[in-house]
Amino acid sequence: MASYDLIVIGSGPGGYVCAIRAAQLGMKVACVEGRDTLGGTCLNVGCIPSKALLHATHQLHEAEHNFAAMGLMGAAPRVDWEKMLAYKADTIGQNTKGIEFLFKKNKIDWLKGWASIPGAGKVKVGDDTHEARHIVIASGSESSPLKGVEVDEETIVTSTGALSLKKIPKRMVVIGGGVIGLEMGSVYARLGTQVTVIEYLDRLIPGADGEVAKTFQRMLKKQGLDVVTGAAVQGTEVLKTKTKVSYTLRKDDSAHVIDTDVVLLATGRRPFTEGLGLDAAGIARTPRGQIKVDARYRTSIDGVYAIGDVIEGPMLAHKAMDDGHALADMLAGHAAVVDYNLVPGVIYTSPEVASVGATEETLKEQGRPYKAGKVSFMSNGRAKAMFQGDGFVKLLADKDTDRILGAHIIGPYAGDMIHEITVAMQFGASAEDIALTSHAHPTFSEAVREAALACGDGPIHA
Ligand code: NAI
């Protein structure tokens, strides 16, 4: 039995950041992780491996569709799936080993195994019980189940199985037109799979700006993805040679069946708290199974905190990192605050989709007067040279004060460009502040400045 200032349960982006930050601030820290490698879902079976596959298949798409137009002649590359998976595994390995290195560097003990909390100040891992002044639950999330759809991770898969399919399927049905469904759907569509996305609502990516969602749906269709919206999946039936997915269209209750080879279930995630002994320890939860915390991440039990996907808020790796960083600072007696209105969201498809702050829909709902400055990437020289003219930047600013309220980008490197606006918003900037800031030419970011100009007197290039 060992005694620590802090034991973090889970080594995903929330947990490892919290552990490292706390160690940097002088605490004696341990982190419990039951997987063979550190990094949680994000590094092992989520963000990182999916980005490897998105990158590889984007290169393939470029070779197939744009190389000849640039005078790069020759046959498009042939896909060696095993090699692509090996590249993905190598990317994971480099990242998980990186966290292991950081743990050693910061003298953080990795307690290998699955943790439970037998009581305040105690964490049990295997047969050992450790003591800690502070315990942080950062155990993440798991794919939500859907009635009538039984996951086997081979034919009916979650994102985990979708990252390691034995072969590239001819057909794939994706249930859920959210982030996972569209990122993984894009990967397989580029690999030649006939992908059909079935979404319950009447539009894709609920919560995103409506205009972005509409443009995105059009682009995905152009890329060959079939999208069925307003459809409720009734169930799946795995047969010897095919799998049937049955759904009803909500507008007329008509019943439909679609044959496929693989089904990806991507209808959301739920907190993963199995085995922690939350009920026995008396740790309160919300009706949706999230651990209840206050603004300082405190649960209903003294000395036990929770961060990341197990608590309320967007289930995003960087939001979990923000939680973990802030909590470690608080535990060390420092001031810390996270502005959850300024957590950007990114979908890593091609083109990327990124947003921060309010959407037009939410501003209308709030009755808040606003102005929208929108420019197309068609007016951006750099984007045109790279066949990336489809898409736009939309900046939303307060009608009276010009303060930036939100931004929505669909286009090249949107996920990187969004941070300029996020920082500006953090400083309470106006659209004019961005419009007056020099932006290098030729860059994609010029479109952000043009959108800011569009909130005022108007852009130069449109
Ligand atoms: P999601 O919440 O993004 O999307 C789920 C979609 O499924 C929604 O559009 C919803 O309307 C639809 N849906 C729900 N029930 C359905 C049903 N019965 N039939 C058809 N459609 C149905 O969830 P997703 O994509 O599974 O991702 C889970 C979490 O992981 C999200 O919080 C997401 O933000 C996060 N994530 C973030 C990534 C990123 O930041 N790039 C990448 C991957 C995941």
Side-chain angles (χ1 to χ4, degrees):
M1 176 161 105
S3 185
Y4 294 93
D5 295 317
L6 169 66
I7 295 181
V8 181
I9 299 172
S11 70
Y16 83 70
V17 167
C18 186
I20 291 172
R21 181 71 180 156
Q24 287 172 341
L25 293 170
M27 287 183 232
K28 185 169 161 24
V29 182
C31 181
V32 192
E33 177 54 64
R35 274 181 211 269
D36 293 338
T37 47
L38 298 172
T41 300
C42 175
L43 269 66
N44 288 281
V45 285
C47 333
I48 297 297
S50 63
K51 259 80 273 175
L53 294 184
L54 280 158
H55 176 66
T57 56
H58 177 61
Q59 304 304 314
L60 175 67
H61 182 270
E62 286 294 288
E64 285 172 344
H65 296 272
N66 293 329
F67 273 20
M70 293 185 284
L72 299 169
M73 312 314 283
R78 181 182 57 81
V79 176
D80 183 328
W81 183 233
E82 264 180 43
K83 272 205 170 140
M84 198 178 279
L85 292 182
Y87 147 71
K88 181 208 71 173
D90 183 55
T91 310
I92 296 170
Q94 288 183 39
N95 281 277
T96 56
K97 283 194 192 85
I99 306 297
E100 214 174 317
F101 164 78
L102 290 174
F103 271 20
K104 282 192 184 127
K105 184 179 161 200
N106 288 287
K107 302 193 173 35
I108 296 164
D109 288 346
W110 173 5
L111 307 176
K112 294 185 182 177
W114 301 99
S116 60
I117 304 171
K122 289 193 177 16
V123 175
K124 193 163 183 272
V125 185
D127 294 332
D128 300 324
T129 300
H130 306 270
E131 281 185 350
R133 199 148 68 88
H134 308 296
I135 298 167
V136 173
I137 303 171
S139 49
S141 59
E142 61 182 354
S143 187
S144 299
L146 183 65
K147 208 172 141 234
V149 180
E150 202 154 315
V151 171
D152 59 17
E153 293 298 10
E154 285 200 7
T155 306
I156 302 190
V157 298
T158 65
S159 52
T160 303
L163 289 163
S164 299
L165 290 180
K166 289 203 179 86
K167 58 178 191 183
I168 300 167
K170 282 205 169 66
R171 300 165 296 183
M172 174 183 273
V173 167
V174 175
I175 308 178
V179 188
I180 292 181
L182 299 180
E183 285 188 1
M184 291 314 299
S186 291
V187 163
Y188 284 100
R190 287 182 215 152
L191 289 167
T193 303
Q194 180 51 54
V195 176
T196 306
V197 178
I198 302 181
E199 164 60 43
Y200 183 79
L201 297 176
D202 293 328
R203 50 164 285 186
L204 296 177
I205 39 172
D209 180 90
E211 208 176 354
V212 166
K214 215 165 149 189
T215 306
F216 194 34
Q217 184 162 337
R218 171 179 60 72
M219 287 181 178
L220 290 172
K221 280 193 172 170
K222 209 166 134 194
Q223 290 175 20
L225 278 90
D226 280 337
V227 177
V228 184
T229 53
V233 169
Q234 302 302 322
T236 49
E237 191 186 353
V238 181
L239 305 172
K240 239 192 184 139
T241 54
K242 62 184 176 192
T243 293
K244 287 175 175 292
V245 180
S246 47
Y247 64 90
T248 49
L249 283 181
R250 289 166 58 220
K251 62 176 182 206
D252 57 10
D253 262 346
S254 57
H256 303 259
V257 177
I258 180 166
D259 291 345
T260 188
D261 302 309
V262 168
V263 177
L264 166 60
L265 178 63
T267 51
R269 295 179 66 82
R270 65 179 184 187
F272 176 69
T273 54
E274 206 183 295
L276 286 174
L278 297 184
D279 293 334
I283 295 172
R285 275 177 283 174
T286 68
R288 295 187 55 211
Q290 297 145 323
I291 297 176
K292 272 192 188 166
V293 291
D294 65 11
R296 298 180 65 82
Y297 309 101
R298 290 181 292 209
T299 68
S300 51
I301 295 290
D302 253 6
V304 181
Y305 307 79
I307 57 170
D309 283 7
V310 283
I311 64 171
E312 267 178 322
M315 288 178 147
L316 297 171
H318 48 283
K319 178 264 183 188
M321 288 174 160
D322 294 345
D323 290 349
H325 197 284
L327 176 55
D329 280 352
M330 288 174 187
L331 295 178
H334 297 275
V337 67
V338 180
D339 186 344
Y340 290 101
N341 293 318
L342 293 184
V343 176
V346 179
I347 308 177
Y348 298 89
T349 41
S350 183
E352 290 182 350
V353 177
S355 68
V356 66
T359 61
E360 284 202 66
E361 289 77 11
T362 50
L363 292 173
K364 277 179 190 148
E365 248 171 59
Q366 292 164 5
R368 183 158 185 182
Y370 71 93
K371 50 192 174 175
K374 185 181 152 197
V375 297
S376 159
F377 280 106
M378 278 315 266
S379 62
N380 180 284
R382 183 77 181 278
K384 268 198 290 217
M386 290 172 63
F387 310 103
Q388 302 256 21
D390 214 357
F392 58 83
V393 177
K394 180 159 76 176
L395 205 64
L396 306 173
D398 186 283
K399 197 163 187 198
D400 304 318
T401 65
D402 197 37
R403 188 183 174 130
I404 305 168
L405 302 173
H408 307 277
I409 309 177
I410 177 163
Y413 303 106
D416 287 288
M417 279 193 281
I418 199 70
H419 296 103
E420 167 183 357
I421 306 160
T422 309
V423 171
M425 289 174 76
Q426 186 82 44
F427 283 84
S430 63
E432 190 183 31
D433 288 326
I434 290 189
L436 292 174
T437 304
S438 181
H439 283 63
H441 176 75
T443 56
F444 299 109
S445 297
E446 284 176 283
V448 174
R449 185 188 202 178
E450 290 274 293
L453 281 164
C455 285
D457 293 339
I460 301 293
H461 299 88

